[in-house]
Amino acid sequence: MAQKQSILGRIGQLTRANINSILDKAEDPEKMLDQMVRDYTSSIAEAENAVAQTIGNLRLAEADHAEDVAAVKEWGAKALAASQKADSLRAAGQPGEADRFDALAKVALSKQISFEQEAKAAAPQIAAQNETVEKLKTGLIGMKAKLGELQTKRDQLVARAKTAEAQSKVQDAVRSIDILDPTSELSRFEEKVRRNEAQVAGHAELASSSLDSQFEELEAASAMTEVEARLAELKGIGSGQPSAVESGE
């Protein structure tokens, strides 16, 4: 009976285990879950063997009880037959033979009483064993359900851990991009190009201004040449020489 109580206690402890609480205290939940799955699987196998043995013992006890009950009926029938035979012989005037059959009837009744006592004593034990077996079966069902919960929890945890690891890598990459932002290098290069473009435009504008000045100087020189020509013409008029206008040139 102590063994049965031990089995019940172990099954009860395992089925009442708070998985979330255990995982919260674990340094490596994934390894903890893997170990728990192995422990539960092993415990279930041990419990199944123990329950099977208990059921086997119960079936033997039930078979023995059935044999005792059958023996009670059998020896009762023998006692009745011997008693009736004794009555018949006594009625036939054979008291000696009648006494012998009465003695046989007493032996049969003694056997019947012995088997009745055994059957009566075994009945409550068998009932208790049946109750224990049902509890053990229920406990096994609970253990298997807990094992399924553990396996599901383990798979979910592994998936979450991998997702978290991937997200961490992405965030690290994003942080490294923020620290070494390539767009800042592009901005500096763009600024350099803009300055070069401005310098080229400045040179072009300067060259254009110099060319305009040269044309202005040329135009000024042409104007002075005209002035000089007219001055010479005026001087010719003063000396009595006809001007270009007057000569029709």
Side-chain angles (χ1 to χ4, degrees):
M1 196 67 174
Q3 182 183 6
K4 297 173 187 175
Q5 291 174 348
S6 176
I7 297 170
L8 284 173
R10 181 171 55 182
I11 291 177
Q13 181 180 5
L14 290 170
T15 54
R16 289 193 300 270
N18 189 330
I19 296 174
N20 292 326
S21 176
I22 294 174
L23 292 179
D24 290 341
K25 298 176 182 177
E27 294 181 1
D28 191 335
E30 183 177 346
K31 290 183 179 179
M32 182 68 177
L33 275 174
D34 287 341
Q35 186 61 46
M36 289 180 68
V37 168
R38 289 191 292 269
D39 291 344
Y40 263 65
T41 302
S42 177
S43 295
I44 287 174
E46 292 178 6
E48 283 181 335
N49 289 334
V51 172
Q53 183 179 357
T54 302
I55 292 174
N57 293 336
L58 171 61
R59 298 298 175 250
L60 287 175
E62 288 175 338
D64 291 341
H65 181 264
E67 289 179 0
D68 289 340
V69 172
V72 168
K73 293 181 179 179
E74 179 182 355
W75 286 107
K78 288 180 178 180
L80 178 61
S83 176
Q84 289 176 344
K85 181 66 175 178
D87 292 342
S88 175
L89 289 171
R90 192 169 284 107
Q94 300 179 17
E97 284 296 314
D99 291 340
R100 187 171 68 84
F101 276 96
D102 278 338
L104 288 174
K106 290 179 181 179
V107 171
L109 290 173
S110 177
K111 291 284 188 181
Q112 183 186 42
I113 292 171
S114 176
F115 282 113
E116 281 181 351
Q117 290 175 345
E118 290 183 9
K120 185 177 180 180
Q125 294 179 0
I126 292 174
Q129 283 183 320
N130 271 304
E131 184 179 353
T132 299
V133 165
E134 291 304 316
K135 289 180 179 180
L136 291 174
K137 288 180 178 178
T138 302
L140 277 176
I141 293 172
M143 287 180 70
K144 290 178 179 179
K146 189 66 67 175
L147 177 60
E149 182 183 346
L150 271 174
Q151 291 170 332
T152 300
K153 193 79 173 180
R154 187 265 177 200
D155 294 340
Q156 291 175 347
L157 181 63
V158 170
R160 286 170 55 191
K162 290 181 179 179
T163 300
E165 182 180 0
Q167 290 176 344
S168 177
K169 290 181 179 179
V170 171
Q171 290 175 358
D172 289 342
V174 171
R175 282 195 295 269
S176 66
I177 291 174
D178 290 340
I179 295 171
L180 302 173
D181 188 356
T183 59
S184 62
E185 298 297 326
L186 290 176
S187 299
R188 284 193 290 272
F189 181 70
E190 182 181 7
E191 183 62 26
K192 182 178 180 180
V193 170
R194 289 180 67 243
R195 286 196 299 268
N196 290 339
E197 289 175 344
Q199 186 175 2
V200 171
H203 283 298
E205 184 177 343
L206 182 60
S208 176
S209 299
S210 177
L211 184 62
D212 290 343
S213 297
Q214 292 177 15
F215 277 107
E216 288 175 359
E217 290 177 0
L218 179 60
E219 290 175 358
S222 298
M224 289 301 296
T225 301
E226 180 68 22
V227 170
E228 293 292 336
R230 291 195 180 193
L231 178 60
E233 183 179 357
L234 288 175
K235 289 183 180 297
I237 294 173
S239 63
Q241 295 178 357
S243 63
V245 177
E246 291 176 345
S247 65
E249 294 179 356

